[in-house]
Amino acid sequence: NAGVTQTPKFQVLKTGQSMTLQCAQDMNHNSMYWYRQDPGMGLRLIYYSASEGTTDKGEVPNGYNVSRLNKREFSLRLESAAPSQTSVYFCASRPDLNQRQYFGPGTRLTVL
Amino acid sequence: QKEVEQNSGPLSVPEGAIASLNCTYSDRGSQSFFWYRQYSGKSPELIMFIYSNGDKEDGRFTAQLNKASQYVSLLIRDSQPSDSATYLCAGTNSGNTPLVFGKGTRLSVIA
């Protein structure tokens, strides 16, 4: 039982490049989330998926797209990376209402 | 805009003392609250959750919830240097909505 896994752990991009951050969970959770964390800003929700086949915008969705590929996987795509997207990205999953969220180890992204 | 507010700190306490971390929230519909600990460079890990008014104790940790005052707190007794971390408060309402996180309070326990 690996919990929530994220790939890659580190990534450096040039402005304008695209990439996809991968997230998978093996706990059969319905809900999955993508957050970014910047110094002094706490965790800000980018997108979430309450169930397979649905996605919703969070607080800071601009510049990102997501895909809930199946119940296990939820990917985050940057179509044209910008330096403002330099951040640590966390994926999380949650089994049901009012339950704790489980976090992945994070992806540290730098956009030059 | 639903908000969860925390003092960013740093909060410095001597080893063995009680650390008191506080959080207020704006959404009166919030029902469930969570305290996460995050070490530098690591992901958040859950240490306490509370749904009902009053106190909930787990080892050295006590979570307190006052829904009338929209206030949540976390007490850490017998603080240890290993407790030095950022503590994130989060809340959610009873629907299938994501957690709203505060910006976190940085705690430093001085040996």
Side-chain angles (χ1 to χ4, degrees):
Chain A
N1 190 332
V4 181
T5 57
Q6 292 182 237
T7 55
K9 286 186 168 47
F10 301 94
Q11 184 70 50
V12 178
L13 293 177
K14 293 181 180 178
T15 297
Q17 287 185 315
S18 62
M19 79 160 296
T20 300
L21 280 62
Q22 306 286 353
C23 174
Q25 51 92 9
D26 61 2
M27 296 175 284
N28 201 37
H29 289 173
N30 287 318
S31 300
M32 296 185 73
Y33 308 86
W34 276 106
Y35 293 90
R36 61 178 289 174
Q37 188 173 40
D38 304 292
M41 297 298 292
L43 285 164
R44 292 185 292 170
L45 183 67
I46 305 171
Y47 270 95
Y48 69 102
S49 171
S51 62
E52 185 178 352
T54 68
T55 60
D56 286 285
K57 293 179 180 179
E59 181 185 354
V60 288
N62 291 344
Y64 305 95
N65 285 301
V66 290
S67 295
R68 183 74 183 266
L69 304 168
N70 46 55
K71 194 169 187 179
R72 289 187 64 250
E73 299 171 290
F74 188 38
S75 63
L76 178 72
R77 182 160 178 85
L78 287 71
E79 290 291 351
S80 179
S84 60
Q85 294 178 305
T86 294
S87 189
V88 180
Y89 291 85
F90 289 104
C91 178
S93 70
R94 180 177 168 196
D96 206 345
L97 305 179
N98 298 330
Q99 299 296 313
R100 61 176 285 188
Q101 286 182 189
Y102 295 74
F103 284 86
T107 294
R108 282 148 184 79
L109 176 67
T110 301
V111 183
L112 302 175
Chain B
Q1 178 81 356
K2 300 173 184 176
E3 292 185 342
V4 174
E5 300 283 346
Q6 293 182 258
N7 189 318
S8 62
L11 172 66
S12 295
V13 299
E15 184 175 359
I18 296 175
S20 177
L21 304 160
N22 304 314
C23 168
T24 59
Y25 59 95
S26 63
D27 180 14
R28 280 202 171 273
S30 295
Q31 298 290 324
S32 308
F33 299 89
F34 303 81
W35 282 100
Y36 284 81
R37 177 177 62 200
Q38 186 176 25
Y39 292 114
S40 181
K42 301 294 186 182
S43 58
E45 57 177 328
L46 183 74
I47 52 173
M48 289 286 292
F49 62 89
I50 186 165
Y51 302 152
S52 304
N53 272 329
D55 295 359
K56 180 181 179 183
E57 188 174 316
D58 183 1
R60 295 187 296 113
F61 299 98
T62 299
Q64 299 174 317
L65 174 59
N66 183 325
K67 290 187 178 180
S69 300
Q70 296 178 241
Y71 180 89
V72 190
S73 65
L74 179 70
L75 302 178
I76 306 175
R77 289 181 298 281
D78 188 24
S79 295
Q80 301 297 310
S82 59
D83 294 325
S84 297
T86 296
Y87 289 80
L88 302 168
C89 173
T92 184
N93 63 25
S94 59
N96 191 13
T97 53
L99 297 185
V100 177
F101 283 86
K103 294 181 179 180
T105 298
R106 189 156 56 91
L107 172 67
S108 179
V109 180
I110 311 300

